[in-house]
Amino acid sequence: MLNLHFAATRVVGRIAAALAVTAFAAPALAQYPDRPVQFVSPYAAGGANDYLTRLMARYMGQEMQANIVVDNKSGANGMIGAAAVAKAAPDGYTLLMGNSATHGTNPTLYKKQPYDAARDFTPVAMVASVPIVMAVNAGLGVDSVAELLEYGKRHRLSFGSSGVGGTGHLTGEAFKAATGLDMIHVPYKGDSPAVTDAMGGQVDLAFVGTASAIAQQASGKIKILAVAHPTRTRALPDVPTMAEAGFPGLEFSQWYALFAPAGTPAPVVEKLNQANKAALALPAVQESLDAQAAEGTYRTPQQLEAFYQSEIKRFGDLIHKLQLSID
């Protein structure tokens, strides 16, 4: 009964939101966008989320002949920026660059949230995904996951991640559960400091986004042993997948997608989605994504909705299994 009530409430809410913008829709859609569009990155400048937000703002803006500006509203693992967009007018002028935290782990991880990921947003377009990799301190003297397991049987390992409940953290916990290794989690405020401490030996290994690990691999202080992806990635063609290393099902990526407030008119969503599709096909965008070890992924709004709903369930099941929660 609760599920039926929730589903009915969600449908009624969306219908009400759509009716609320009817007066706006007819005259304004033909001119959309006729003023600057704002893309909100819910993280600080300099990270992957910010980079991809600015990349899409530039090239989607060109496709729509519009001025798209970026506003960084960071804090609370993306929830501050996400909440701001959820409360914005559903007119297509304020969008969120959401990700595997805002629309993947947060809905289950946090007991209290300022938004509802399923109810308060309209999915617009997928942008890219960055596979999680296992990067180990070179000083351990291991060259494969199998050798790491043997080492871990003799030594208690520590692993770093971008923070509690992040994709890297959950990858590490899933690996820990699959192997039975006794590993200590050390959370950081981002992938870069986690990799830095893995290089320095403060932690034995780190589960981080591909780009952060690749940037430091040339130093010789870390080794990338595996990628948590269904297939080998273009950025690391010689690095085996977790499945190839003997752990099928360990597939985790930091993914990024655009979301608008619930009730945003379908023609506006479609225009934004098509601009995203065109931008992802541009050679300049592909080169920029490759530089970040990111894989551009086009999805329709309907496909994106199915995807992120499945991610909420997948991450939710894992978070409940690991008994993780944040007040």
Side-chain angles (χ1 to χ4, degrees), residues 257-294:
L258 287 167
F259 295 86
T264 300
V268 170
V269 172
E270 180 62 17
K271 186 166 186 176
L272 287 161
N273 179 272
Q274 290 303 304
N276 164 265
K277 182 179 183 180
L280 288 176
L282 295 173
V285 171
Q286 287 295 327
E287 291 174 7
S288 296
L289 292 174
D290 287 344
Q292 292 291 307

PDB file of all heavy atoms in Angstrom, residues 257-294:
ATOM      1  N   ALA A 257      25.189  13.767 -15.013  1.00  0.00           N
ATOM      2  CA  ALA A 257      24.026  13.968 -15.873  1.00  0.00           C
ATOM      3  C   ALA A 257      23.324  15.277 -15.501  1.00  0.00           C
ATOM      4  O   ALA A 257      23.398  15.740 -14.359  1.00  0.00           O
ATOM      5  CB  ALA A 257      23.052  12.799 -15.734  1.00  0.00           C
ATOM      6  N   LEU A 258      22.632  15.847 -16.478  1.00  0.00           N
ATOM      7  CA  LEU A 258      21.903  17.094 -16.266  1.00  0.00           C
ATOM      8  C   LEU A 258      20.458  16.820 -15.844  1.00  0.00           C
ATOM      9  O   LEU A 258      19.780  15.968 -16.429  1.00  0.00           O
ATOM     10  CB  LEU A 258      21.905  17.931 -17.550  1.00  0.00           C
ATOM     11  CG  LEU A 258      23.239  18.593 -17.905  1.00  0.00           C
ATOM     12  CD1 LEU A 258      23.210  19.111 -19.342  1.00  0.00           C
ATOM     13  CD2 LEU A 258      23.560  19.729 -16.939  1.00  0.00           C
ATOM     14  N   PHE A 259      20.021  17.575 -14.832  1.00  0.00           N
ATOM     15  CA  PHE A 259      18.660  17.474 -14.326  1.00  0.00           C
ATOM     16  C   PHE A 259      18.048  18.868 -14.227  1.00  0.00           C
ATOM     17  O   PHE A 259      18.738  19.829 -13.878  1.00  0.00           O
ATOM     18  CB  PHE A 259      18.634  16.820 -12.940  1.00  0.00           C
ATOM     19  CG  PHE A 259      19.081  15.391 -12.921  1.00  0.00           C
ATOM     20  CD1 PHE A 259      20.429  15.071 -12.801  1.00  0.00           C
ATOM     21  CD2 PHE A 259      18.164  14.354 -13.034  1.00  0.00           C
ATOM     22  CE1 PHE A 259      20.854  13.752 -12.781  1.00  0.00           C
ATOM     23  CE2 PHE A 259      18.570  13.035 -13.018  1.00  0.00           C
ATOM     24  CZ  PHE A 259      19.923  12.728 -12.901  1.00  0.00           C
ATOM     25  N   ALA A 260      16.758  18.958 -14.522  1.00  0.00           N
ATOM     26  CA  ALA A 260      16.009  20.202 -14.380  1.00  0.00           C
ATOM     27  C   ALA A 260      14.990  20.023 -13.249  1.00  0.00           C
ATOM     28  O   ALA A 260      14.696  18.896 -12.840  1.00  0.00           O
ATOM     29  CB  ALA A 260      15.293  20.540 -15.683  1.00  0.00           C
ATOM     30  N   PRO A 261      14.435  21.119 -12.744  1.00  0.00           N
ATOM     31  CA  PRO A 261      13.393  20.977 -11.721  1.00  0.00           C
ATOM     32  C   PRO A 261      12.190  20.196 -12.263  1.00  0.00           C
ATOM     33  O   PRO A 261      11.890  20.247 -13.464  1.00  0.00           O
ATOM     34  CB  PRO A 261      13.009  22.424 -11.407  1.00  0.00           C
ATOM     35  CG  PRO A 261      14.203  23.228 -11.795  1.00  0.00           C
ATOM     36  CD  PRO A 261      14.777  22.526 -12.989  1.00  0.00           C
ATOM     37  N   ALA A 262      11.515  19.470 -11.413  1.00  0.00           N
ATOM     38  CA  ALA A 262      10.318  18.732 -11.819  1.00  0.00           C
ATOM     39  C   ALA A 262       9.303  19.691 -12.425  1.00  0.00           C
ATOM     40  O   ALA A 262       9.120  20.811 -11.951  1.00  0.00           O
ATOM     41  CB  ALA A 262       9.706  18.026 -10.612  1.00  0.00           C
ATOM     42  N   GLY A 263       8.659  19.245 -13.491  1.00  0.00           N
ATOM     43  CA  GLY A 263       7.655  20.062 -14.148  1.00  0.00           C
ATOM     44  C   GLY A 263       8.183  20.906 -15.294  1.00  0.00           C
ATOM     45  O   GLY A 263       7.409  21.625 -15.937  1.00  0.00           O
ATOM     46  N   THR A 264       9.462  20.818 -15.598  1.00  0.00           N
ATOM     47  CA  THR A 264      10.008  21.543 -16.745  1.00  0.00           C
ATOM     48  C   THR A 264       9.348  21.030 -18.020  1.00  0.00           C
ATOM     49  O   THR A 264       9.246  19.819 -18.232  1.00  0.00           O
ATOM     50  CB  THR A 264      11.533  21.352 -16.826  1.00  0.00           C
ATOM     51  OG1 THR A 264      12.130  21.852 -15.624  1.00  0.00           O
ATOM     52  CG2 THR A 264      12.115  22.094 -18.017  1.00  0.00           C
ATOM     53  N   PRO A 265       8.852  21.927 -18.892  1.00  0.00           N
ATOM     54  CA  PRO A 265       8.128  21.495 -20.098  1.00  0.00           C
ATOM     55  C   PRO A 265       8.927  20.536 -20.970  1.00  0.00           C
ATOM     56  O   PRO A 265      10.135  20.722 -21.169  1.00  0.00           O
ATOM     57  CB  PRO A 265       7.861  22.816 -20.821  1.00  0.00           C
ATOM     58  CG  PRO A 265       7.852  23.840 -19.747  1.00  0.00           C
ATOM     59  CD  PRO A 265       8.892  23.394 -18.761  1.00  0.00           C
ATOM     60  N   ALA A 266       8.263  19.530 -21.496  1.00  0.00           N
ATOM     61  CA  ALA A 266       8.915  18.512 -22.310  1.00  0.00           C
ATOM     62  C   ALA A 266       9.653  19.090 -23.520  1.00  0.00           C
ATOM     63  O   ALA A 266      10.756  18.634 -23.840  1.00  0.00           O
ATOM     64  CB  ALA A 266       7.896  17.468 -22.758  1.00  0.00           C
ATOM     65  N   PRO A 267       9.093  20.091 -24.244  1.00  0.00           N
ATOM     66  CA  PRO A 267       9.837  20.648 -25.377  1.00  0.00           C
ATOM     67  C   PRO A 267      11.162  21.289 -24.972  1.00  0.00           C
ATOM     68  O   PRO A 267      12.143  21.244 -25.723  1.00  0.00           O
ATOM     69  CB  PRO A 267       8.871  21.687 -25.960  1.00  0.00           C
ATOM     70  CG  PRO A 267       7.514  21.215 -25.544  1.00  0.00           C
ATOM     71  CD  PRO A 267       7.717  20.638 -24.175  1.00  0.00           C
ATOM     72  N   VAL A 268      11.194  21.901 -23.786  1.00  0.00           N
ATOM     73  CA  VAL A 268      12.437  22.487 -23.289  1.00  0.00           C
ATOM     74  C   VAL A 268      13.441  21.385 -22.974  1.00  0.00           C
ATOM     75  O   VAL A 268      14.622  21.471 -23.344  1.00  0.00           O
ATOM     76  CB  VAL A 268      12.165  23.343 -22.036  1.00  0.00           C
ATOM     77  CG1 VAL A 268      13.472  23.755 -21.365  1.00  0.00           C
ATOM     78  CG2 VAL A 268      11.365  24.578 -22.395  1.00  0.00           C
ATOM     79  N   VAL A 269      12.985  20.336 -22.308  1.00  0.00           N
ATOM     80  CA  VAL A 269      13.851  19.204 -21.990  1.00  0.00           C
ATOM     81  C   VAL A 269      14.408  18.589 -23.269  1.00  0.00           C
ATOM     82  O   VAL A 269      15.594  18.264 -23.358  1.00  0.00           O
ATOM     83  CB  VAL A 269      13.083  18.150 -21.169  1.00  0.00           C
ATOM     84  CG1 VAL A 269      13.913  16.876 -20.997  1.00  0.00           C
ATOM     85  CG2 VAL A 269      12.692  18.718 -19.812  1.00  0.00           C
ATOM     86  N   GLU A 270      13.554  18.444 -24.273  1.00  0.00           N
ATOM     87  CA  GLU A 270      13.986  17.851 -25.536  1.00  0.00           C
ATOM     88  C   GLU A 270      15.037  18.720 -26.224  1.00  0.00           C
ATOM     89  O   GLU A 270      16.014  18.201 -26.783  1.00  0.00           O
ATOM     90  CB  GLU A 270      12.781  17.657 -26.458  1.00  0.00           C
ATOM     91  CG  GLU A 270      13.115  17.035 -27.818  1.00  0.00           C
ATOM     92  CD  GLU A 270      13.690  15.636 -27.726  1.00  0.00           C
ATOM     93  OE1 GLU A 270      13.566  14.980 -26.664  1.00  0.00           O
ATOM     94  OE2 GLU A 270      14.277  15.178 -28.724  1.00  0.00           O
ATOM     95  N   LYS A 271      14.851  20.025 -26.188  1.00  0.00           N
ATOM     96  CA  LYS A 271      15.827  20.918 -26.822  1.00  0.00           C
ATOM     97  C   LYS A 271      17.182  20.814 -26.134  1.00  0.00           C
ATOM     98  O   LYS A 271      18.236  20.762 -26.784  1.00  0.00           O
ATOM     99  CB  LYS A 271      15.328  22.358 -26.791  1.00  0.00           C
ATOM    100  CG  LYS A 271      16.233  23.321 -27.563  1.00  0.00           C
ATOM    101  CD  LYS A 271      15.557  24.665 -27.809  1.00  0.00           C
ATOM    102  CE  LYS A 271      16.425  25.533 -28.714  1.00  0.00           C
ATOM    103  NZ  LYS A 271      15.775  26.822 -29.056  1.00  0.00           N
ATOM    104  N   LEU A 272      17.171  20.771 -24.809  1.00  0.00           N
ATOM    105  CA  LEU A 272      18.410  20.621 -24.059  1.00  0.00           C
ATOM    106  C   LEU A 272      19.048  19.263 -24.328  1.00  0.00           C
ATOM    107  O   LEU A 272      20.270  19.155 -24.490  1.00  0.00           O
ATOM    108  CB  LEU A 272      18.118  20.774 -22.565  1.00  0.00           C
ATOM    109  CG  LEU A 272      17.816  22.196 -22.080  1.00  0.00           C
ATOM    110  CD1 LEU A 272      17.093  22.159 -20.733  1.00  0.00           C
ATOM    111  CD2 LEU A 272      19.099  23.008 -21.970  1.00  0.00           C
ATOM    112  N   ASN A 273      18.231  18.226 -24.390  1.00  0.00           N
ATOM    113  CA  ASN A 273      18.749  16.886 -24.637  1.00  0.00           C
ATOM    114  C   ASN A 273      19.418  16.797 -26.001  1.00  0.00           C
ATOM    115  O   ASN A 273      20.501  16.209 -26.148  1.00  0.00           O
ATOM    116  CB  ASN A 273      17.624  15.862 -24.526  1.00  0.00           C
ATOM    117  CG  ASN A 273      18.093  14.446 -24.796  1.00  0.00           C
ATOM    118  OD1 ASN A 273      18.113  13.983 -25.940  1.00  0.00           O
ATOM    119  ND2 ASN A 273      18.494  13.745 -23.737  1.00  0.00           N
ATOM    120  N   GLN A 274      18.797  17.386 -27.016  1.00  0.00           N
ATOM    121  CA  GLN A 274      19.370  17.342 -28.358  1.00  0.00           C
ATOM    122  C   GLN A 274      20.643  18.172 -28.451  1.00  0.00           C
ATOM    123  O   GLN A 274      21.578  17.826 -29.184  1.00  0.00           O
ATOM    124  CB  GLN A 274      18.340  17.810 -29.382  1.00  0.00           C
ATOM    125  CG  GLN A 274      17.192  16.832 -29.592  1.00  0.00           C
ATOM    126  CD  GLN A 274      17.690  15.447 -30.004  1.00  0.00           C
ATOM    127  OE1 GLN A 274      18.415  15.304 -30.987  1.00  0.00           O
ATOM    128  NE2 GLN A 274      17.293  14.427 -29.248  1.00  0.00           N
ATOM    129  N   ALA A 275      20.710  19.265 -27.694  1.00  0.00           N
ATOM    130  CA  ALA A 275      21.939  20.061 -27.661  1.00  0.00           C
ATOM    131  C   ALA A 275      23.059  19.269 -27.006  1.00  0.00           C
ATOM    132  O   ALA A 275      24.225  19.325 -27.431  1.00  0.00           O
ATOM    133  CB  ALA A 275      21.696  21.364 -26.904  1.00  0.00           C
ATOM    134  N   ASN A 276      22.716  18.511 -25.973  1.00  0.00           N
ATOM    135  CA  ASN A 276      23.690  17.642 -25.322  1.00  0.00           C
ATOM    136  C   ASN A 276      24.185  16.563 -26.285  1.00  0.00           C
ATOM    137  O   ASN A 276      25.390  16.289 -26.366  1.00  0.00           O
ATOM    138  CB  ASN A 276      23.046  16.999 -24.092  1.00  0.00           C
ATOM    139  CG  ASN A 276      23.807  15.793 -23.569  1.00  0.00           C
ATOM    140  OD1 ASN A 276      23.476  14.656 -23.912  1.00  0.00           O
ATOM    141  ND2 ASN A 276      24.802  16.023 -22.748  1.00  0.00           N
ATOM    142  N   LYS A 277      23.258  15.963 -27.017  1.00  0.00           N
ATOM    143  CA  LYS A 277      23.627  14.911 -27.979  1.00  0.00           C
ATOM    144  C   LYS A 277      24.579  15.456 -29.032  1.00  0.00           C
ATOM    145  O   LYS A 277      25.593  14.811 -29.366  1.00  0.00           O
ATOM    146  CB  LYS A 277      22.367  14.352 -28.644  1.00  0.00           C
ATOM    147  CG  LYS A 277      22.623  13.216 -29.618  1.00  0.00           C
ATOM    148  CD  LYS A 277      21.306  12.705 -30.207  1.00  0.00           C
ATOM    149  CE  LYS A 277      21.538  11.522 -31.134  1.00  0.00           C
ATOM    150  NZ  LYS A 277      20.250  11.021 -31.700  1.00  0.00           N
ATOM    151  N   ALA A 278      24.269  16.641 -29.567  1.00  0.00           N
ATOM    152  CA  ALA A 278      25.122  17.258 -30.586  1.00  0.00           C
ATOM    153  C   ALA A 278      26.490  17.613 -30.015  1.00  0.00           C
ATOM    154  O   ALA A 278      27.523  17.432 -30.672  1.00  0.00           O
ATOM    155  CB  ALA A 278      24.439  18.500 -31.151  1.00  0.00           C
ATOM    156  N   ALA A 279      26.513  18.118 -28.780  1.00  0.00           N
ATOM    157  CA  ALA A 279      27.783  18.512 -28.163  1.00  0.00           C
ATOM    158  C   ALA A 279      28.682  17.297 -27.945  1.00  0.00           C
ATOM    159  O   ALA A 279      29.892  17.350 -28.205  1.00  0.00           O
ATOM    160  CB  ALA A 279      27.518  19.223 -26.839  1.00  0.00           C
ATOM    161  N   LEU A 280      28.098  16.188 -27.486  1.00  0.00           N
ATOM    162  CA  LEU A 280      28.898  14.992 -27.224  1.00  0.00           C
ATOM    163  C   LEU A 280      29.524  14.430 -28.496  1.00  0.00           C
ATOM    164  O   LEU A 280      30.547  13.736 -28.435  1.00  0.00           O
ATOM    165  CB  LEU A 280      28.035  13.912 -26.564  1.00  0.00           C
ATOM    166  CG  LEU A 280      27.629  14.151 -25.109  1.00  0.00           C
ATOM    167  CD1 LEU A 280      26.704  13.041 -24.629  1.00  0.00           C
ATOM    168  CD2 LEU A 280      28.856  14.248 -24.205  1.00  0.00           C
ATOM    169  N   ALA A 281      28.940  14.731 -29.634  1.00  0.00           N
ATOM    170  CA  ALA A 281      29.468  14.226 -30.912  1.00  0.00           C
ATOM    171  C   ALA A 281      30.602  15.079 -31.464  1.00  0.00           C
ATOM    172  O   ALA A 281      31.268  14.674 -32.425  1.00  0.00           O
ATOM    173  CB  ALA A 281      28.341  14.144 -31.936  1.00  0.00           C
ATOM    174  N   LEU A 282      30.847  16.235 -30.882  1.00  0.00           N
ATOM    175  CA  LEU A 282      31.884  17.130 -31.393  1.00  0.00           C
ATOM    176  C   LEU A 282      33.285  16.601 -31.056  1.00  0.00           C
ATOM    177  O   LEU A 282      33.542  16.179 -29.924  1.00  0.00           O
ATOM    178  CB  LEU A 282      31.717  18.524 -30.788  1.00  0.00           C
ATOM    179  CG  LEU A 282      30.442  19.287 -31.170  1.00  0.00           C
ATOM    180  CD1 LEU A 282      30.345  20.571 -30.361  1.00  0.00           C
ATOM    181  CD2 LEU A 282      30.441  19.595 -32.674  1.00  0.00           C
ATOM    182  N   PRO A 283      34.213  16.630 -32.016  1.00  0.00           N
ATOM    183  CA  PRO A 283      35.586  16.170 -31.756  1.00  0.00           C
ATOM    184  C   PRO A 283      36.242  16.893 -30.582  1.00  0.00           C
ATOM    185  O   PRO A 283      36.959  16.275 -29.782  1.00  0.00           O
ATOM    186  CB  PRO A 283      36.314  16.464 -33.069  1.00  0.00           C
ATOM    187  CG  PRO A 283      35.238  16.406 -34.111  1.00  0.00           C
ATOM    188  CD  PRO A 283      34.022  16.980 -33.445  1.00  0.00           C
ATOM    189  N   ALA A 284      35.998  18.191 -30.457  1.00  0.00           N
ATOM    190  CA  ALA A 284      36.604  18.962 -29.360  1.00  0.00           C
ATOM    191  C   ALA A 284      36.117  18.463 -28.004  1.00  0.00           C
ATOM    192  O   ALA A 284      36.886  18.408 -27.035  1.00  0.00           O
ATOM    193  CB  ALA A 284      36.276  20.444 -29.520  1.00  0.00           C
ATOM    194  N   VAL A 285      34.848  18.097 -27.938  1.00  0.00           N
ATOM    195  CA  VAL A 285      34.296  17.584 -26.683  1.00  0.00           C
ATOM    196  C   VAL A 285      34.856  16.197 -26.392  1.00  0.00           C
ATOM    197  O   VAL A 285      35.224  15.882 -25.255  1.00  0.00           O
ATOM    198  CB  VAL A 285      32.758  17.554 -26.726  1.00  0.00           C
ATOM    199  CG1 VAL A 285      32.176  16.831 -25.518  1.00  0.00           C
ATOM    200  CG2 VAL A 285      32.211  18.978 -26.803  1.00  0.00           C
ATOM    201  N   GLN A 286      34.946  15.362 -27.421  1.00  0.00           N
ATOM    202  CA  GLN A 286      35.515  14.029 -27.232  1.00  0.00           C
ATOM    203  C   GLN A 286      36.951  14.106 -26.730  1.00  0.00           C
ATOM    204  O   GLN A 286      37.365  13.356 -25.848  1.00  0.00           O
ATOM    205  CB  GLN A 286      35.461  13.244 -28.547  1.00  0.00           C
ATOM    206  CG  GLN A 286      34.075  12.778 -28.939  1.00  0.00           C
ATOM    207  CD  GLN A 286      33.511  11.756 -27.962  1.00  0.00           C
ATOM    208  OE1 GLN A 286      34.251  10.966 -27.393  1.00  0.00           O
ATOM    209  NE2 GLN A 286      32.203  11.784 -27.761  1.00  0.00           N
ATOM    210  N   GLU A 287      37.728  15.039 -27.284  1.00  0.00           N
ATOM    211  CA  GLU A 287      39.109  15.211 -26.844  1.00  0.00           C
ATOM    212  C   GLU A 287      39.172  15.664 -25.385  1.00  0.00           C
ATOM    213  O   GLU A 287      40.022  15.211 -24.613  1.00  0.00           O
ATOM    214  CB  GLU A 287      39.819  16.225 -27.744  1.00  0.00           C
ATOM    215  CG  GLU A 287      40.063  15.726 -29.168  1.00  0.00           C
ATOM    216  CD  GLU A 287      40.624  16.811 -30.068  1.00  0.00           C
ATOM    217  OE1 GLU A 287      40.951  17.907 -29.552  1.00  0.00           O
ATOM    218  OE2 GLU A 287      40.746  16.571 -31.289  1.00  0.00           O
ATOM    219  N   SER A 288      38.263  16.562 -25.018  1.00  0.00           N
ATOM    220  CA  SER A 288      38.231  17.053 -23.643  1.00  0.00           C
ATOM    221  C   SER A 288      37.841  15.938 -22.677  1.00  0.00           C
ATOM    222  O   SER A 288      38.384  15.841 -21.570  1.00  0.00           O
ATOM    223  CB  SER A 288      37.249  18.222 -23.518  1.00  0.00           C
ATOM    224  OG  SER A 288      37.684  19.329 -24.287  1.00  0.00           O
ATOM    225  N   LEU A 289      36.904  15.109 -23.081  1.00  0.00           N
ATOM    226  CA  LEU A 289      36.500  13.982 -22.239  1.00  0.00           C
ATOM    227  C   LEU A 289      37.643  12.981 -22.108  1.00  0.00           C
ATOM    228  O   LEU A 289      37.902  12.457 -21.010  1.00  0.00           O
ATOM    229  CB  LEU A 289      35.262  13.302 -22.816  1.00  0.00           C
ATOM    230  CG  LEU A 289      33.962  14.109 -22.777  1.00  0.00           C
ATOM    231  CD1 LEU A 289      32.849  13.365 -23.520  1.00  0.00           C
ATOM    232  CD2 LEU A 289      33.524  14.393 -21.342  1.00  0.00           C
ATOM    233  N   ASP A 290      38.327  12.714 -23.206  1.00  0.00           N
ATOM    234  CA  ASP A 290      39.459  11.785 -23.168  1.00  0.00           C
ATOM    235  C   ASP A 290      40.537  12.285 -22.207  1.00  0.00           C
ATOM    236  O   ASP A 290      41.175  11.490 -21.505  1.00  0.00           O
ATOM    237  CB  ASP A 290      40.061  11.611 -24.562  1.00  0.00           C
ATOM    238  CG  ASP A 290      39.173  10.775 -25.485  1.00  0.00           C
ATOM    239  OD1 ASP A 290      38.263  10.084 -24.968  1.00  0.00           O
ATOM    240  OD2 ASP A 290      39.383  10.823 -26.710  1.00  0.00           O
ATOM    241  N   ALA A 291      40.736  13.602 -22.180  1.00  0.00           N
ATOM    242  CA  ALA A 291      41.754  14.179 -21.296  1.00  0.00           C
ATOM    243  C   ALA A 291      41.414  13.944 -19.828  1.00  0.00           C
ATOM    244  O   ALA A 291      42.307  13.919 -18.968  1.00  0.00           O
ATOM    245  CB  ALA A 291      41.889  15.677 -21.561  1.00  0.00           C
ATOM    246  N   GLN A 292      40.120  13.765 -19.544  1.00  0.00           N
ATOM    247  CA  GLN A 292      39.677  13.494 -18.183  1.00  0.00           C
ATOM    248  C   GLN A 292      39.423  11.999 -17.941  1.00  0.00           C
ATOM    249  O   GLN A 292      38.908  11.619 -16.890  1.00  0.00           O
ATOM    250  CB  GLN A 292      38.382  14.266 -17.900  1.00  0.00           C
ATOM    251  CG  GLN A 292      38.561  15.768 -17.846  1.00  0.00           C
ATOM    252  CD  GLN A 292      39.348  16.203 -16.625  1.00  0.00           C
ATOM    253  OE1 GLN A 292      39.025  15.852 -15.502  1.00  0.00           O
ATOM    254  NE2 GLN A 292      40.403  16.971 -16.837  1.00  0.00           N
ATOM    255  N   ALA A 293      39.788  11.180 -18.921  1.00  0.00           N
ATOM    256  CA  ALA A 293      39.518   9.739 -18.855  1.00  0.00           C
ATOM    257  C   ALA A 293      38.039   9.472 -18.653  1.00  0.00           C
ATOM    258  O   ALA A 293      37.634   8.485 -18.034  1.00  0.00           O
ATOM    259  CB  ALA A 293      40.339   9.082 -17.748  1.00  0.00           C
ATOM    260  N   ALA A 294      37.212  10.372 -19.184  1.00  0.00           N
ATOM    261  CA  ALA A 294      35.760  10.236 -19.081  1.00  0.00           C
ATOM    262  C   ALA A 294      35.195   9.693 -20.386  1.00  0.00           C
ATOM    263  O   ALA A 294      35.756   9.941 -21.460  1.00  0.00           O
ATOM    264  CB  ALA A 294      35.122  11.587 -18.763  1.00  0.00           C
TER     265      ALA A 294
END
